[in-house]
Amino acid sequence: MYRFIRWYNQNRKSFWITIGIIILIIGVIQLINYFYKVRGEEQLKNPSNQIQNTVSNYNYNHVEVDDSHSSLTGEKISEDQETEIGVIDNFINYCNEKDLQGAYDLLTDECKEVMYPTLEDFEQAYYNQVFGNSRKNITVDNWIDNIYKLDINEDFLSTGKYSKEDTIQDYITVEEIDNQYKLNINRYVGRKDIGKSKEDKNIRIEIEQTDIYMDYQIYKIKVTNNSENTILLDDGVDIEAMYIEDENGVQYTAYTHEINEGQLMVSPRETKELEIKYYSRYGSEKVIDKVVFSRMILNNETYTTFQNKSLYRDYANFEIEI
């Protein structure tokens, strides 16, 4: 005790200066947190002001349109893209303020349909996973056209900690629908209607649409079997036999490990709808021009009788131009 008193008497001035600095820092942090809380509440109450304020409490990789460029293409950010970033800002504000209905209402109908059919689905599968009931700092960068890359981190002003290892990365696509901006989130790019078909050997295959993600595509396909035999769209012997092909002849195979034989089997006079996923990373210049089933079994009843399947010969190569 005597040593502490002696040390205190010798360092009294430095001691109280240090205490004062610590109190000042705590006060500044609390003041900043209060400022952001009030500001967020004001933005949610005045949605017309949110698009104009594209910086908010996020660290965008641009400040002014003239000085901003896409990290992928190097092209300048346009005024339309600035507006799109404002919509993303709205979405993040809603999530940070726990206004899940406001955030959910900004999603496209397709994004809701394929990923979050209900508000509860959105809360459990997206909000809880990404935001975890806490505020986040967001870095937004234009990836290409109307697609934006987001780096999502803890709000270090609130938590006092920051780590790049905890960064969550997402891609958000902004679409203008009926003069309103809507979002596709969680790496979902959008939907393309196709409506192309081919009919041969009493079999009709229609490619209805595709849902495009950053890492793959899912095609919705309708198969009508007007033959007298059960057909099998693929026998699984060659994992590259079922694929989509782009205009340059590059093939992207199906996720065959996610498909069981029963899904690919179509009985006589049956119409079956399928969703098939293909390994096809998104590219703005990529054009898929055909869907191919190169080992379609035309008589599955006969096929099953072959002990040595390599001796079976009644195959069809179905290519549907899209």
Side-chain angles (χ1 to χ4, degrees):
M1 185 67 180
Y2 170 76
R3 290 182 180 177
F4 173 76
I5 295 173
R6 181 182 178 186
W7 175 87
Y8 173 77
N9 289 333
Q10 291 175 343
N11 300 277
R12 179 181 304 175
K13 185 176 180 180
S14 299
F15 176 79
W16 286 110
I17 289 175
T18 302
I19 294 297
I21 292 173
I22 293 173
I23 293 173
L24 179 62
I25 292 173
I26 293 173
V28 169
I29 291 175
Q30 291 179 338
L31 182 62
I32 291 173
N33 286 339
Y34 175 77
F35 167 76
Y36 282 129
K37 180 179 180 181
V38 171
R39 188 174 184 181
E41 291 174 352
E42 289 177 351
Q43 287 180 331
L44 289 176
K45 292 177 181 177
N46 300 281
S48 60
N49 295 330
Q50 294 178 43
I51 291 180
Q52 297 175 5
N53 177 18
T54 61
V55 177
S56 188
N57 61 322
Y58 314 116
N59 303 314
Y60 292 121
N61 289 342
H62 60 276
V63 178
E64 297 177 1
V65 174
D66 290 341
D67 298 326
S68 305
H69 299 76
S70 167
S71 63
L72 188 67
T73 66
E75 296 179 354
K76 290 183 178 180
I77 300 294
S78 67
E79 291 184 5
D80 287 342
Q81 288 171 327
E82 283 290 326
T83 300
E84 293 170 353
I85 291 170
V87 181
I88 296 174
D89 184 66
N90 290 349
F91 176 77
I92 300 301
N93 269 331
Y94 283 131
C95 290
N96 270 336
E97 297 302 325
K98 302 179 184 179
D99 183 354
L100 301 188
Q101 186 65 61
Y104 187 70
D105 289 342
L106 283 177
L107 304 185
T108 66
D109 290 341
E110 291 82 5
C111 186
K112 292 176 182 177
E113 177 186 333
V114 301
M115 303 192 76
Y116 314 110
T118 68
L119 180 61
E120 290 72 23
D121 293 326
F122 171 73
E123 179 178 8
Q124 295 175 14
Y126 186 83
Y127 175 78
N128 288 345
Q129 298 297 321
V130 176
F131 286 83
N133 207 32
S134 64
R135 298 182 65 86
K136 301 292 183 180
N137 278 333
I138 312 296
T139 300
V140 177
D141 189 17
N142 177 247
W143 192 70
I144 191 169
D145 298 330
N146 61 332
I147 301 177
Y148 299 85
K149 183 179 74 172
L150 276 67
D151 287 334
I152 305 170
N153 294 287
E154 292 291 338
D155 182 359
F156 58 88
L157 290 176
S158 298
T159 64
K161 60 182 180 179
Y162 169 78
S163 173
K164 274 192 173 182
E165 296 178 358
D166 297 329
T167 298
I168 297 174
Q169 192 173 87
D170 191 11
Y171 288 86
I172 289 182
T173 302
V174 185
E175 294 189 5
E176 186 175 3
I177 303 170
D178 297 331
N179 296 319
Q180 290 185 325
Y181 288 95
K182 297 289 185 176
L183 306 178
N184 294 322
I185 64 173
N186 202 6
R187 307 177 77 87
Y188 175 64
V189 176
R191 174 174 293 170
K192 178 183 177 182
D193 292 324
I194 298 175
K196 296 294 183 66
S197 63
K198 178 180 179 179
E199 188 164 355
D200 189 25
K201 301 181 186 299
N202 291 319
I203 300 165
R204 176 182 172 85
I205 298 182
E206 181 179 355
I207 312 301
E208 298 181 316
Q209 65 188 34
T210 179
D211 284 301
I212 304 167
Y213 299 77
M214 291 300 298
D215 302 308
Y216 55 87
Q217 288 183 244
I218 297 178
Y219 280 78
K220 186 175 182 180
I221 300 171
K222 182 186 291 185
V223 182
T224 300
N225 179 13
N226 289 318
S227 74
E228 300 299 325
N229 306 308
T230 298
I231 64 172
L232 187 61
L233 298 180
D234 186 82
D235 61 3
V237 173
D238 182 355
I239 62 173
E240 297 182 353
M242 193 163 56
Y243 59 89
I244 55 178
E245 183 175 306
D246 68 20
E247 60 182 352
N248 297 315
V250 180
Q251 298 174 359
Y252 308 90
T253 58
Y255 279 55
T256 53
H257 63 282
E258 294 185 358
I259 308 171
N260 62 57
E261 186 178 275
Q263 292 174 289
L264 300 177
M265 193 178 298
V266 187
S267 302
R269 311 302 176 185
E270 180 187 10
T271 295
K272 178 177 283 190
E273 289 195 348
L274 306 168
E275 289 188 352
I276 301 178
K277 183 190 294 186
Y278 296 87
Y279 293 94
S280 177
R281 184 169 175 79
Y282 175 76
S284 61
E285 302 298 323
K286 181 188 292 183
V287 178
I288 303 296
D289 61 9
K290 65 176 67 173
V291 177
V292 180
F293 299 90
S294 65
R295 285 178 63 91
M296 182 188 297
I297 293 173
L298 296 177
N299 190 329
N300 191 60
E301 289 85 357
T302 300
Y303 176 76
T304 56
T305 65
F306 278 75
Q307 193 167 20
N308 185 354
K309 297 295 192 283
S310 63
L311 298 177
Y312 181 82
R313 293 290 181 268
D314 195 11
Y315 290 101
N317 180 20
F318 239 84
E319 297 187 3
I320 306 96
E321 303 285 344
I322 60 175

Short mmCIF file of all heavy atoms in Angstrom, two decimals, residues 241-297:
data_model
loop_
_atom_site.label_atom_id
_atom_site.label_comp_id
_atom_site.label_asym_id
_atom_site.label_seq_id
_atom_site.Cartn_x
_atom_site.Cartn_y
_atom_site.Cartn_z
N ALA A 241 -22.65 -36.39 -69.39
CA ALA A 241 -23.57 -36.62 -70.49
C ALA A 241 -24.75 -35.65 -70.49
O ALA A 241 -25.41 -35.47 -71.52
CB ALA A 241 -24.08 -38.06 -70.45
N MET A 242 -25.04 -35.05 -69.36
CA MET A 242 -26.16 -34.12 -69.24
C MET A 242 -25.58 -32.74 -68.96
O MET A 242 -25.00 -32.50 -67.90
CB MET A 242 -27.08 -34.59 -68.11
CG MET A 242 -28.44 -33.91 -68.09
SD MET A 242 -29.65 -34.83 -67.08
CE MET A 242 -28.81 -34.94 -65.50
N TYR A 243 -25.74 -31.79 -69.91
CA TYR A 243 -25.04 -30.52 -69.79
C TYR A 243 -25.75 -29.40 -70.55
O TYR A 243 -26.66 -29.64 -71.35
CB TYR A 243 -23.60 -30.65 -70.29
CG TYR A 243 -23.47 -31.09 -71.74
CD1 TYR A 243 -23.45 -30.16 -72.78
CD2 TYR A 243 -23.36 -32.45 -72.07
CE1 TYR A 243 -23.34 -30.55 -74.11
CE2 TYR A 243 -23.24 -32.85 -73.39
CZ TYR A 243 -23.22 -31.90 -74.41
OH TYR A 243 -23.12 -32.30 -75.72
N ILE A 244 -25.32 -28.18 -70.27
CA ILE A 244 -25.69 -27.03 -71.09
C ILE A 244 -24.42 -26.58 -71.81
O ILE A 244 -23.31 -26.84 -71.37
CB ILE A 244 -26.28 -25.88 -70.25
CG1 ILE A 244 -25.33 -25.48 -69.12
CG2 ILE A 244 -27.64 -26.28 -69.70
CD1 ILE A 244 -25.83 -24.29 -68.28
N GLU A 245 -24.61 -25.90 -72.95
CA GLU A 245 -23.46 -25.52 -73.77
C GLU A 245 -23.61 -24.07 -74.22
O GLU A 245 -24.71 -23.64 -74.63
CB GLU A 245 -23.36 -26.44 -74.99
CG GLU A 245 -22.15 -26.17 -75.88
CD GLU A 245 -22.04 -27.20 -76.99
OE1 GLU A 245 -22.03 -28.41 -76.68
OE2 GLU A 245 -22.00 -26.79 -78.18
N ASP A 246 -22.51 -23.29 -74.13
CA ASP A 246 -22.59 -21.90 -74.56
C ASP A 246 -22.24 -21.77 -76.04
O ASP A 246 -21.91 -22.75 -76.72
CB ASP A 246 -21.73 -20.99 -73.68
CG ASP A 246 -20.23 -21.23 -73.83
OD1 ASP A 246 -19.80 -21.80 -74.85
OD2 ASP A 246 -19.48 -20.84 -72.91
N GLU A 247 -22.33 -20.54 -76.54
CA GLU A 247 -22.13 -20.30 -77.97
C GLU A 247 -20.71 -20.58 -78.44
O GLU A 247 -20.46 -20.71 -79.64
CB GLU A 247 -22.50 -18.84 -78.29
CG GLU A 247 -21.66 -17.82 -77.56
CD GLU A 247 -22.08 -16.40 -77.86
OE1 GLU A 247 -22.93 -16.21 -78.77
OE2 GLU A 247 -21.57 -15.47 -77.20
N ASN A 248 -19.78 -20.70 -77.49
CA ASN A 248 -18.40 -21.02 -77.84
C ASN A 248 -18.09 -22.51 -77.73
O ASN A 248 -16.93 -22.92 -77.87
CB ASN A 248 -17.44 -20.23 -76.94
CG ASN A 248 -17.57 -18.73 -77.13
OD1 ASN A 248 -17.64 -18.25 -78.27
ND2 ASN A 248 -17.64 -17.99 -76.03
N GLY A 249 -19.12 -23.31 -77.47
CA GLY A 249 -18.93 -24.75 -77.38
C GLY A 249 -18.46 -25.25 -76.02
O GLY A 249 -18.16 -26.44 -75.87
N VAL A 250 -18.41 -24.36 -75.03
CA VAL A 250 -18.00 -24.77 -73.68
C VAL A 250 -19.19 -25.44 -72.99
O VAL A 250 -20.31 -24.90 -72.99
CB VAL A 250 -17.52 -23.56 -72.86
CG1 VAL A 250 -17.11 -24.01 -71.45
CG2 VAL A 250 -16.35 -22.87 -73.56
N GLN A 251 -18.95 -26.59 -72.40
CA GLN A 251 -20.02 -27.37 -71.77
C GLN A 251 -19.96 -27.24 -70.25
O GLN A 251 -18.88 -27.22 -69.66
CB GLN A 251 -19.91 -28.84 -72.17
CG GLN A 251 -20.06 -29.06 -73.67
CD GLN A 251 -19.81 -30.49 -74.08
OE1 GLN A 251 -19.50 -31.35 -73.25
NE2 GLN A 251 -19.94 -30.77 -75.38
N TYR A 252 -21.15 -27.18 -69.64
CA TYR A 252 -21.27 -27.06 -68.18
C TYR A 252 -22.19 -28.19 -67.71
O TYR A 252 -23.38 -28.21 -68.03
CB TYR A 252 -21.85 -25.69 -67.79
CG TYR A 252 -21.11 -24.53 -68.43
CD1 TYR A 252 -21.50 -24.03 -69.68
CD2 TYR A 252 -20.01 -23.95 -67.80
CE1 TYR A 252 -20.82 -22.98 -70.27
CE2 TYR A 252 -19.33 -22.89 -68.39
CZ TYR A 252 -19.74 -22.41 -69.62
OH TYR A 252 -19.06 -21.37 -70.21
N THR A 253 -21.63 -29.12 -66.97
CA THR A 253 -22.36 -30.33 -66.61
C THR A 253 -23.35 -30.10 -65.47
O THR A 253 -23.26 -29.12 -64.72
CB THR A 253 -21.39 -31.45 -66.21
OG1 THR A 253 -20.58 -30.99 -65.11
CG2 THR A 253 -20.49 -31.82 -67.37
N ALA A 254 -24.28 -31.03 -65.36
CA ALA A 254 -25.31 -30.96 -64.32
C ALA A 254 -24.77 -31.44 -62.98
O ALA A 254 -23.78 -32.18 -62.92
CB ALA A 254 -26.52 -31.81 -64.72
N TYR A 255 -25.41 -31.00 -61.91
CA TYR A 255 -25.11 -31.50 -60.57
C TYR A 255 -25.73 -32.90 -60.44
O TYR A 255 -26.74 -33.10 -59.78
CB TYR A 255 -25.72 -30.58 -59.52
CG TYR A 255 -24.95 -29.33 -59.19
CD1 TYR A 255 -24.57 -28.42 -60.18
CD2 TYR A 255 -24.60 -29.03 -57.87
CE1 TYR A 255 -23.89 -27.26 -59.87
CE2 TYR A 255 -23.91 -27.87 -57.55
CZ TYR A 255 -23.56 -26.99 -58.56
OH TYR A 255 -22.87 -25.84 -58.26
N THR A 256 -25.12 -33.88 -61.08
CA THR A 256 -25.71 -35.21 -61.12
C THR A 256 -25.81 -35.84 -59.73
O THR A 256 -26.69 -36.69 -59.49
CB THR A 256 -24.90 -36.14 -62.05
OG1 THR A 256 -23.52 -36.10 -61.65
CG2 THR A 256 -25.01 -35.68 -63.49
N HIS A 257 -24.96 -35.44 -58.81
CA HIS A 257 -25.00 -36.03 -57.47
C HIS A 257 -26.23 -35.58 -56.69
O HIS A 257 -26.56 -36.16 -55.66
CB HIS A 257 -23.73 -35.65 -56.69
CG HIS A 257 -23.58 -34.19 -56.45
ND1 HIS A 257 -23.14 -33.32 -57.44
CD2 HIS A 257 -23.81 -33.42 -55.36
CE1 HIS A 257 -23.10 -32.09 -56.96
NE2 HIS A 257 -23.51 -32.13 -55.70
N GLU A 258 -26.90 -34.54 -57.18
CA GLU A 258 -28.11 -34.07 -56.51
C GLU A 258 -29.38 -34.63 -57.15
O GLU A 258 -30.49 -34.28 -56.73
CB GLU A 258 -28.16 -32.53 -56.54
CG GLU A 258 -27.05 -31.86 -55.74
CD GLU A 258 -27.21 -30.34 -55.69
OE1 GLU A 258 -28.17 -29.83 -56.32
OE2 GLU A 258 -26.39 -29.68 -55.03
N ILE A 259 -29.24 -35.48 -58.15
CA ILE A 259 -30.40 -36.01 -58.88
C ILE A 259 -30.46 -37.52 -58.72
O ILE A 259 -29.45 -38.21 -58.94
CB ILE A 259 -30.31 -35.66 -60.38
CG1 ILE A 259 -30.06 -34.17 -60.58
CG2 ILE A 259 -31.57 -36.09 -61.11
CD1 ILE A 259 -29.73 -33.80 -62.01
N ASN A 260 -31.61 -38.04 -58.35
CA ASN A 260 -31.75 -39.49 -58.29
C ASN A 260 -32.43 -40.01 -59.56
O ASN A 260 -33.06 -39.25 -60.30
CB ASN A 260 -32.51 -39.93 -57.04
CG ASN A 260 -33.93 -39.39 -56.98
OD1 ASN A 260 -34.73 -39.61 -57.90
ND2 ASN A 260 -34.26 -38.69 -55.90
N GLU A 261 -32.29 -41.28 -59.78
CA GLU A 261 -32.79 -41.88 -61.02
C GLU A 261 -34.29 -41.70 -61.18
O GLU A 261 -34.79 -41.47 -62.29
CB GLU A 261 -32.44 -43.38 -61.05
CG GLU A 261 -32.78 -44.06 -62.35
CD GLU A 261 -32.37 -45.52 -62.37
OE1 GLU A 261 -31.20 -45.81 -62.70
OE2 GLU A 261 -33.23 -46.37 -62.03
N GLY A 262 -35.02 -41.75 -60.08
CA GLY A 262 -36.47 -41.61 -60.15
C GLY A 262 -36.91 -40.26 -60.71
O GLY A 262 -37.94 -40.17 -61.39
N GLN A 263 -36.13 -39.21 -60.44
CA GLN A 263 -36.47 -37.89 -60.95
C GLN A 263 -36.35 -37.82 -62.47
O GLN A 263 -37.07 -37.08 -63.13
CB GLN A 263 -35.57 -36.83 -60.32
CG GLN A 263 -35.81 -36.61 -58.84
CD GLN A 263 -34.79 -35.65 -58.24
OE1 GLN A 263 -33.62 -35.99 -58.09
NE2 GLN A 263 -35.23 -34.45 -57.92
N LEU A 264 -35.41 -38.61 -63.03
CA LEU A 264 -35.14 -38.56 -64.47
C LEU A 264 -35.95 -39.59 -65.25
O LEU A 264 -35.84 -39.66 -66.47
CB LEU A 264 -33.65 -38.79 -64.72
CG LEU A 264 -32.70 -37.76 -64.08
CD1 LEU A 264 -31.25 -38.15 -64.36
CD2 LEU A 264 -32.97 -36.36 -64.60
N MET A 265 -36.76 -40.37 -64.56
CA MET A 265 -37.56 -41.41 -65.21
C MET A 265 -38.95 -40.88 -65.52
O MET A 265 -39.62 -40.31 -64.65
CB MET A 265 -37.64 -42.64 -64.30
CG MET A 265 -38.17 -43.89 -64.98
SD MET A 265 -38.15 -45.30 -63.81
CE MET A 265 -36.38 -45.42 -63.45
N VAL A 266 -39.40 -41.05 -66.78
CA VAL A 266 -40.71 -40.55 -67.22
C VAL A 266 -41.49 -41.72 -67.82
O VAL A 266 -41.06 -42.32 -68.82
CB VAL A 266 -40.57 -39.41 -68.24
CG1 VAL A 266 -41.95 -38.80 -68.53
CG2 VAL A 266 -39.61 -38.33 -67.74
N SER A 267 -42.62 -42.01 -67.22
CA SER A 267 -43.44 -43.14 -67.65
C SER A 267 -44.18 -42.81 -68.94
O SER A 267 -44.31 -41.65 -69.33
CB SER A 267 -44.45 -43.51 -66.56
OG SER A 267 -43.79 -43.83 -65.36
N PRO A 268 -44.72 -43.82 -69.64
CA PRO A 268 -45.50 -43.58 -70.86
C PRO A 268 -46.69 -42.67 -70.56
O PRO A 268 -47.35 -42.80 -69.53
CB PRO A 268 -45.96 -44.98 -71.27
CG PRO A 268 -44.94 -45.90 -70.69
CD PRO A 268 -44.53 -45.26 -69.39
N ARG A 269 -46.92 -41.70 -71.44
CA ARG A 269 -48.03 -40.74 -71.35
C ARG A 269 -47.92 -39.81 -70.14
O ARG A 269 -48.89 -39.15 -69.77
CB ARG A 269 -49.39 -41.47 -71.30
CG ARG A 269 -49.58 -42.55 -72.35
CD ARG A 269 -49.42 -42.00 -73.74
NE ARG A 269 -49.50 -43.06 -74.76
CZ ARG A 269 -49.29 -42.86 -76.06
NH1 ARG A 269 -48.98 -41.64 -76.49
NH2 ARG A 269 -49.37 -43.85 -76.91
N GLU A 270 -46.76 -39.75 -69.55
CA GLU A 270 -46.57 -38.88 -68.38
C GLU A 270 -45.89 -37.58 -68.78
O GLU A 270 -45.04 -37.55 -69.68
CB GLU A 270 -45.72 -39.59 -67.32
CG GLU A 270 -45.49 -38.73 -66.07
CD GLU A 270 -44.51 -39.36 -65.09
OE1 GLU A 270 -43.87 -40.37 -65.45
OE2 GLU A 270 -44.38 -38.82 -63.97
N THR A 271 -46.26 -36.50 -68.11
CA THR A 271 -45.55 -35.22 -68.21
C THR A 271 -44.93 -34.91 -66.86
O THR A 271 -45.62 -34.94 -65.83
CB THR A 271 -46.50 -34.08 -68.63
OG1 THR A 271 -47.00 -34.34 -69.96
CG2 THR A 271 -45.78 -32.74 -68.63
N LYS A 272 -43.65 -34.63 -66.85
CA LYS A 272 -42.94 -34.38 -65.60
C LYS A 272 -42.17 -33.07 -65.69
O LYS A 272 -41.54 -32.77 -66.71
CB LYS A 272 -41.99 -35.54 -65.30
CG LYS A 272 -41.17 -35.35 -64.02
CD LYS A 272 -40.29 -36.57 -63.74
CE LYS A 272 -41.12 -37.72 -63.17
NZ LYS A 272 -40.25 -38.83 -62.66
N GLU A 273 -42.22 -32.29 -64.61
CA GLU A 273 -41.45 -31.05 -64.53
C GLU A 273 -40.24 -31.27 -63.63
O GLU A 273 -40.36 -31.85 -62.55
CB GLU A 273 -42.30 -29.90 -64.01
CG GLU A 273 -43.35 -29.41 -65.01
CD GLU A 273 -43.93 -28.06 -64.63
OE1 GLU A 273 -43.70 -27.61 -63.49
OE2 GLU A 273 -44.62 -27.46 -65.47
N LEU A 274 -39.09 -30.82 -64.10
CA LEU A 274 -37.84 -31.01 -63.39
C LEU A 274 -37.14 -29.67 -63.19
O LEU A 274 -37.33 -28.73 -63.98
CB LEU A 274 -36.89 -31.92 -64.19
CG LEU A 274 -37.42 -33.28 -64.63
CD1 LEU A 274 -36.46 -33.88 -65.64
CD2 LEU A 274 -37.55 -34.20 -63.44
N GLU A 275 -36.31 -29.61 -62.16
CA GLU A 275 -35.38 -28.50 -61.99
C GLU A 275 -33.98 -29.10 -61.90
O GLU A 275 -33.70 -29.87 -60.99
CB GLU A 275 -35.71 -27.68 -60.74
CG GLU A 275 -36.98 -26.87 -60.89
CD GLU A 275 -37.20 -25.90 -59.73
OE1 GLU A 275 -36.44 -25.98 -58.73
OE2 GLU A 275 -38.12 -25.08 -59.82
N ILE A 276 -33.14 -28.74 -62.86
CA ILE A 276 -31.80 -29.32 -62.94
C ILE A 276 -30.77 -28.20 -62.79
O ILE A 276 -30.83 -27.18 -63.49
CB ILE A 276 -31.59 -30.08 -64.25
CG1 ILE A 276 -32.62 -31.19 -64.38
CG2 ILE A 276 -30.18 -30.65 -64.32
CD1 ILE A 276 -32.52 -31.98 -65.69
N LYS A 277 -29.82 -28.42 -61.88
CA LYS A 277 -28.77 -27.44 -61.62
C LYS A 277 -27.53 -27.79 -62.42
O LYS A 277 -27.13 -28.94 -62.52
CB LYS A 277 -28.45 -27.42 -60.12
CG LYS A 277 -27.41 -26.36 -59.71
CD LYS A 277 -26.94 -26.56 -58.28
CE LYS A 277 -28.03 -26.33 -57.28
NZ LYS A 277 -27.50 -26.39 -55.87
N TYR A 278 -26.89 -26.73 -62.98
CA TYR A 278 -25.69 -26.91 -63.79
C TYR A 278 -24.54 -26.05 -63.25
O TYR A 278 -24.75 -24.93 -62.79
CB TYR A 278 -25.95 -26.52 -65.25
CG TYR A 278 -26.97 -27.39 -65.95
CD1 TYR A 278 -28.33 -27.11 -65.87
CD2 TYR A 278 -26.58 -28.50 -66.69
CE1 TYR A 278 -29.26 -27.91 -66.51
CE2 TYR A 278 -27.51 -29.31 -67.34
CZ TYR A 278 -28.85 -29.00 -67.24
OH TYR A 278 -29.77 -29.80 -67.87
N TYR A 279 -23.32 -26.59 -63.33
CA TYR A 279 -22.12 -25.85 -62.93
C TYR A 279 -21.86 -24.78 -63.98
O TYR A 279 -21.22 -25.03 -65.01
CB TYR A 279 -20.91 -26.78 -62.86
CG TYR A 279 -20.95 -27.82 -61.79
CD1 TYR A 279 -21.43 -29.09 -62.05
CD2 TYR A 279 -20.49 -27.54 -60.50
CE1 TYR A 279 -21.46 -30.07 -61.07
CE2 TYR A 279 -20.51 -28.51 -59.51
CZ TYR A 279 -21.00 -29.77 -59.81
OH TYR A 279 -21.03 -30.73 -58.83
N SER A 280 -22.33 -23.57 -63.75
CA SER A 280 -22.14 -22.50 -64.72
C SER A 280 -22.03 -21.18 -63.98
O SER A 280 -23.04 -20.55 -63.65
CB SER A 280 -23.32 -22.46 -65.71
OG SER A 280 -23.19 -21.39 -66.61
N ARG A 281 -20.81 -20.73 -63.74
CA ARG A 281 -20.59 -19.48 -63.05
C ARG A 281 -21.05 -18.32 -63.92
O ARG A 281 -20.85 -18.32 -65.14
CB ARG A 281 -19.11 -19.31 -62.69
CG ARG A 281 -18.81 -18.06 -61.89
CD ARG A 281 -17.41 -18.08 -61.32
NE ARG A 281 -17.08 -16.84 -60.66
CZ ARG A 281 -17.48 -16.50 -59.44
NH1 ARG A 281 -18.23 -17.34 -58.75
NH2 ARG A 281 -17.13 -15.35 -58.90
N TYR A 282 -21.66 -17.33 -63.30
CA TYR A 282 -22.24 -16.20 -64.05
C TYR A 282 -21.16 -15.41 -64.79
O TYR A 282 -20.09 -15.12 -64.26
CB TYR A 282 -22.98 -15.26 -63.11
CG TYR A 282 -23.49 -14.02 -63.82
CD1 TYR A 282 -24.61 -14.07 -64.63
CD2 TYR A 282 -22.82 -12.79 -63.69
CE1 TYR A 282 -25.07 -12.96 -65.30
CE2 TYR A 282 -23.28 -11.67 -64.35
CZ TYR A 282 -24.40 -11.76 -65.15
OH TYR A 282 -24.84 -10.64 -65.82
N GLY A 283 -21.48 -15.06 -66.02
CA GLY A 283 -20.65 -14.14 -66.81
C GLY A 283 -21.56 -13.28 -67.65
O GLY A 283 -22.47 -13.78 -68.31
N SER A 284 -21.33 -11.98 -67.63
CA SER A 284 -22.23 -11.07 -68.33
C SER A 284 -22.22 -11.29 -69.84
O SER A 284 -23.19 -10.97 -70.53
CB SER A 284 -21.86 -9.62 -68.01
OG SER A 284 -20.53 -9.34 -68.44
N GLU A 285 -21.12 -11.84 -70.36
CA GLU A 285 -21.01 -12.07 -71.81
C GLU A 285 -21.35 -13.51 -72.19
O GLU A 285 -21.37 -13.85 -73.37
CB GLU A 285 -19.59 -11.75 -72.27
CG GLU A 285 -19.13 -10.33 -71.96
CD GLU A 285 -19.98 -9.29 -72.66
OE1 GLU A 285 -20.40 -9.54 -73.81
OE2 GLU A 285 -20.25 -8.24 -72.05
N LYS A 286 -21.61 -14.36 -71.21
CA LYS A 286 -21.88 -15.77 -71.50
C LYS A 286 -23.29 -15.94 -72.08
O LYS A 286 -24.27 -15.41 -71.53
CB LYS A 286 -21.74 -16.61 -70.24
CG LYS A 286 -21.97 -18.11 -70.47
CD LYS A 286 -22.01 -18.87 -69.16
CE LYS A 286 -20.66 -18.88 -68.49
NZ LYS A 286 -20.68 -19.68 -67.25
N VAL A 287 -23.39 -16.70 -73.16
CA VAL A 287 -24.68 -16.99 -73.79
C VAL A 287 -24.83 -18.50 -73.91
O VAL A 287 -24.10 -19.15 -74.67
CB VAL A 287 -24.80 -16.34 -75.19
CG1 VAL A 287 -26.14 -16.72 -75.83
CG2 VAL A 287 -24.65 -14.83 -75.10
N ILE A 288 -25.76 -19.06 -73.16
CA ILE A 288 -26.06 -20.50 -73.26
C ILE A 288 -27.02 -20.71 -74.43
O ILE A 288 -28.07 -20.05 -74.49
CB ILE A 288 -26.68 -21.03 -71.96
CG1 ILE A 288 -25.75 -20.78 -70.77
CG2 ILE A 288 -27.00 -22.52 -72.09
CD1 ILE A 288 -24.42 -21.49 -70.84
N ASP A 289 -26.67 -21.61 -75.36
CA ASP A 289 -27.54 -21.75 -76.52
C ASP A 289 -28.13 -23.15 -76.70
O ASP A 289 -28.89 -23.38 -77.64
CB ASP A 289 -26.82 -21.32 -77.81
CG ASP A 289 -25.57 -22.14 -78.11
OD1 ASP A 289 -25.35 -23.16 -77.42
OD2 ASP A 289 -24.83 -21.76 -79.02
N LYS A 290 -27.80 -24.10 -75.80
CA LYS A 290 -28.46 -25.40 -75.91
C LYS A 290 -28.42 -26.16 -74.58
O LYS A 290 -27.52 -25.97 -73.76
CB LYS A 290 -27.84 -26.25 -77.01
CG LYS A 290 -26.41 -26.65 -76.79
CD LYS A 290 -25.92 -27.59 -77.92
CE LYS A 290 -25.83 -26.88 -79.24
NZ LYS A 290 -25.20 -27.74 -80.29
N VAL A 291 -29.43 -27.00 -74.40
CA VAL A 291 -29.50 -27.94 -73.28
C VAL A 291 -29.45 -29.33 -73.88
O VAL A 291 -30.19 -29.64 -74.83
CB VAL A 291 -30.80 -27.76 -72.46
CG1 VAL A 291 -30.88 -28.80 -71.36
CG2 VAL A 291 -30.87 -26.35 -71.88
N VAL A 292 -28.56 -30.20 -73.33
CA VAL A 292 -28.29 -31.48 -73.98
C VAL A 292 -28.48 -32.64 -73.01
O VAL A 292 -27.98 -32.62 -71.88
CB VAL A 292 -26.85 -31.51 -74.54
CG1 VAL A 292 -26.58 -32.86 -75.23
CG2 VAL A 292 -26.63 -30.36 -75.52
N PHE A 293 -29.21 -33.67 -73.49
CA PHE A 293 -29.29 -34.97 -72.83
C PHE A 293 -28.70 -35.97 -73.82
O PHE A 293 -29.39 -36.42 -74.75
CB PHE A 293 -30.73 -35.33 -72.50
CG PHE A 293 -31.41 -34.37 -71.55
CD1 PHE A 293 -32.08 -33.26 -72.05
CD2 PHE A 293 -31.34 -34.57 -70.19
CE1 PHE A 293 -32.70 -32.36 -71.18
CE2 PHE A 293 -31.95 -33.67 -69.31
CZ PHE A 293 -32.62 -32.57 -69.81
N SER A 294 -27.43 -36.34 -73.66
CA SER A 294 -26.74 -37.10 -74.70
C SER A 294 -26.83 -38.62 -74.53
O SER A 294 -26.41 -39.37 -75.42
CB SER A 294 -25.27 -36.68 -74.76
OG SER A 294 -24.60 -37.03 -73.56
N ARG A 295 -27.37 -39.07 -73.38
CA ARG A 295 -27.52 -40.52 -73.16
C ARG A 295 -28.93 -40.84 -72.65
O ARG A 295 -29.11 -41.46 -71.62
CB ARG A 295 -26.48 -41.02 -72.16
CG ARG A 295 -25.07 -41.14 -72.73
CD ARG A 295 -24.10 -41.60 -71.67
NE ARG A 295 -24.41 -42.93 -71.16
CZ ARG A 295 -23.91 -44.06 -71.67
NH1 ARG A 295 -23.09 -44.00 -72.71
NH2 ARG A 295 -24.22 -45.22 -71.15
N MET A 296 -29.93 -40.42 -73.41
CA MET A 296 -31.31 -40.69 -73.00
C MET A 296 -31.67 -42.13 -73.36
O MET A 296 -31.55 -42.55 -74.52
CB MET A 296 -32.28 -39.72 -73.69
CG MET A 296 -33.72 -39.93 -73.26
SD MET A 296 -34.87 -38.93 -74.23
CE MET A 296 -34.35 -37.28 -73.80
N ILE A 297 -32.12 -42.87 -72.38
CA ILE A 297 -32.54 -44.26 -72.59
C ILE A 297 -33.99 -44.27 -73.04
O ILE A 297 -34.87 -43.75 -72.34
CB ILE A 297 -32.36 -45.07 -71.30
CG1 ILE A 297 -30.87 -45.20 -70.98
CG2 ILE A 297 -33.01 -46.44 -71.42
CD1 ILE A 297 -30.58 -45.83 -69.66
#
